[in-house]
Amino acid sequence: MTLALFDSHMHTPLCGHASGTPTEYAQAALDAGLSGVCFTDHIPMPAWYDAPWRMRLDQLQAYVESVLVAREAFTGRLEVRLGLEADYHPGTERFVEGVLEAHTWDYVIGSVHYIGAWGFDNPEFVAEYDARDLGSLYRHYYALMEGAARTGLFDALGHLDLPKKFGHRDPDGYAALHALDVVAERGLSLDFNTAGWRKPVREAYPAPDLTRAAADRGIGFVLGSDAHLPQEVGYHFTEALKQIHDVGGRVVNYAGRVRHG
Ligand SMILES: [Zn+2]
Ligand SMILES: [Zn+2]
């Protein structure tokens, strides 16, 4: 592996669906030969939104402290950064903005996990894909991604082509390219998310053709395993680097919300 690689997408038990302490994730990163990590646990949201899948607002301080404990423990061996995976859901922007102002973050991902009221990446609700027109589903989804890019709240968009998770692929692709135009225009990066290789689609987010389209637009890629277990840290990063380098793409990371690389 090349030097100075960061895994910038990983969770902690505070979200209720991950296990392992931040220190254990950091140790896994060190063992994998990485230079650093950035924790990006699911952001607190208003109490009525998706509560079982994230920390509460009153747990935010405990999250920050747990990451700082890991930072302290790995000083001089591994850089430990503090970030968030924020949700973009129209109507919640001001709440999100407040959370982002409450601390100094290194990196904030903007992700879309809902199309309307449907949590489309939840395996429990996968049957809903059969009731939808895939073309219009993807147009709706990428319009939300464009909205996320335009808020100015985020450094990168999370798992670009997430609705393919269970194998329902985008039948056309134009909406994705349009979203990439907005990402480039707004100077955002993309979360190059290797979790897709662990899902039924067996492909990273973004797909190879979208990786090329992003690289052609000068968009940088932030490597992330989306680890919910320590052993997932750095997952398939060699393959990720190959996919990015094959299309002349560049890997970047963030500290203090400033892009490096
Ligand atoms: Zn999660
Ligand atoms: Zn996500």
Side-chain angles (χ1 to χ4, degrees):
M1 243 181 239
T2 46
L3 288 172
L5 281 186
F6 277 71
D7 187 337
S8 301
H9 192 149
M10 57 185 66
H11 295 274
T12 81
L14 280 172
C15 67
H17 61 279
S19 23
T21 63
T23 300
E24 289 170 326
Y25 285 76
Q27 185 61 50
L30 197 62
D31 295 344
L34 301 180
S35 299
V37 293
C38 185
F39 286 90
T40 51
D41 209 356
H42 298 284
I43 192 173
M45 287 292 269
W48 43 263
Y49 178 88
D50 198 28
W53 296 92
R54 58 195 61 257
M55 67 182 96
R56 299 183 311 268
L57 188 58
D58 64 13
Q59 294 174 306
L60 188 65
Q61 193 58 39
Y63 168 60
V64 170
E65 278 161 20
S66 72
V67 172
L68 296 185
V69 164
R71 174 180 294 172
E72 190 67 33
F74 286 83
T75 305
R77 296 187 291 155
L78 183 88
E79 197 164 328
V80 175
R81 296 177 180 167
L82 174 66
L84 283 172
E85 179 180 12
D87 280 55
Y88 174 67
H89 197 106
T92 63
E93 297 91 328
R94 288 182 66 182
F95 185 95
V96 168
E97 197 176 359
V99 176
L100 299 186
E101 281 167 1
H103 282 279
T104 306
W105 308 102
D106 285 306
Y107 172 56
V108 179
I109 303 170
S111 294
V112 171
H113 297 111
Y114 280 82
I115 296 171
W118 174 38
F120 65 85
D121 76 324
N122 186 335
E124 251 184 272
F125 309 129
V126 67
E128 179 66 15
Y129 280 93
D130 299 333
R132 303 258 174 155
D133 172 71
L134 278 185
S136 77
L137 183 162
Y138 273 96
R139 284 192 296 278
H140 193 169
Y141 171 76
Y142 283 115
L144 289 166
M145 289 296 261
E146 284 186 33
R150 289 185 201 282
T151 59
L153 292 171
F154 315 120
D155 301 312
L157 293 189
H159 35 60
L160 179 73
D161 46 356
L162 182 60
K164 74 179 178 184
K165 180 173 177 177
F166 306 107
H168 308 84
R169 289 172 182 277
D170 187 353
D172 50 54
Y174 299 106
L177 296 180
H178 200 271
L180 286 177
D181 287 340
V182 178
V183 170
E185 195 181 289
R186 303 292 302 214
L188 272 74
S189 303
L190 289 182
D191 165 47
F192 190 98
N193 189 311
T194 62
W197 273 311
R198 306 191 291 269
K199 306 300 179 191
V201 69
R202 299 268 168 224
E203 189 177 273
Y205 316 104
D209 60 327
L210 293 176
T211 304
R212 179 179 298 279
D216 287 350
R217 286 161 175 75
I219 298 166
F221 299 95
V222 187
L223 292 176
S225 64
D226 210 341
H228 287 71
L229 295 169
Q231 57 264 39
E232 290 170 346
V233 172
Y235 183 79
H236 281 208
F237 273 19
T238 304
E239 293 85 338
L241 289 172
K242 182 178 185 306
Q243 186 171 318
I244 293 167
H245 290 153
D246 277 353
V247 296
R250 114 195 108 90
V251 173
V252 302
N253 61 67
Y254 285 78
R257 307 205 63 181
V258 176
R259 179 170 52 208
H260 296 276

